[in-house]
Amino acid sequence: VQTWDTHGSTFPRLKNDLLPPLDQGVAALLDDLEASGLLDDTLVMMLGEFGRTPRIFAVGAGAIPGRDHWAPCFFGVFAGAGVRGGQVIGRSDRIGTYPSTTPYSPNDVGATVYHVLGIDPAAEVRDRQNRPTQLNRGEVIQPLFTGRAG
C-alpha cells in the first residue's frame, strides 16, 4: 500500500489523491474542535519526521519525477492550545536545502507538547532501576505562542 511515502509521481499523487482528503479532514477537525469549544485546550499537529529533497528527480527511466527523503528541512502545522494562527515560523535557504533561521528539532516539538500538557520538559524522571533521566532535551517552540520568531 503506497500512501504518503511518494518518491515518483509525487505531484499528481499529492494533487489528485492525498491532499484533497487531508485538507477536508483537517478542516473538519479544526471546525469541530472550535464549535465544541475544545480547540483552546487541544493541540493539533500535522508533521512528519522529514521533508523532501529540494531537487526533483526521476526515479527510473521513463518515471514521473519525484523527490526523496530529506531530513534537514521539514514542515509542521500547529493549531489550538494557545498557538497563534496565521503565521509562518522559520525559513529555509532559497532552494529549501537547510534552515536559514532558527532550526527546530523533533526534541523541540516534544518539549512543546509537554509544555502544552503542563509538564516541564526538563523534568527528571526515573526508570525501573531508579536511574534519573531528563524527560526531554528540546526547547519549547515559543514563537508558536508569542508570534515572535527568534
Side-chain angles (χ1 to χ4, degrees):
V1 174
Q2 181 62 273
T3 56
W4 286 93
D5 195 15
T6 59
H7 292 271
S9 300
T10 301
F11 305 106
R13 295 251 314 123
L14 288 171
K15 179 182 176 187
N16 301 322
D17 302 324
L18 299 172
L19 291 175
L22 176 70
D23 182 49
Q24 182 180 14
V26 171
L29 173 63
L30 294 175
D31 287 347
D32 286 351
L33 288 170
E34 179 69 33
S36 66
L38 294 173
L39 188 58
D40 290 340
D41 298 319
T42 306
L43 178 63
V44 177
M45 303 185 313
M46 183 178 64
L47 60 146
E49 71 276 23
F50 53 80
R52 292 295 180 164
T53 53
R55 301 207 190 274
I56 299 167
F57 63 93
V59 177
I64 298 174
R67 295 164 64 183
D68 206 356
H69 300 175
W70 186 257
C73 271
F74 59 96
F75 81 96
V77 175
F78 297 79
V83 168
R84 291 187 53 178
Q87 60 179 336
V88 175
I89 299 171
R91 282 187 289 249
S92 69
D93 59 20
R94 69 176 193 80
I95 62 169
T97 307
Y98 298 101
S100 63
T101 58
T102 301
Y104 296 103
S105 72
N107 278 336
D108 298 330
V109 173
T112 303
V113 171
Y114 284 126
H115 169 75
V116 168
L117 291 171
I119 299 169
D120 179 6
E124 183 181 279
V125 294
R126 297 192 170 263
D127 67 13
R128 291 181 185 206
Q129 285 77 39
N130 204 32
R131 296 175 297 196
T133 189
Q134 188 174 334
L135 184 60
N136 181 281
R137 298 196 184 280
E139 298 291 327
V140 175
I141 305 172
Q142 289 295 338
L144 286 173
F145 308 101
T146 64
R148 291 187 303 257

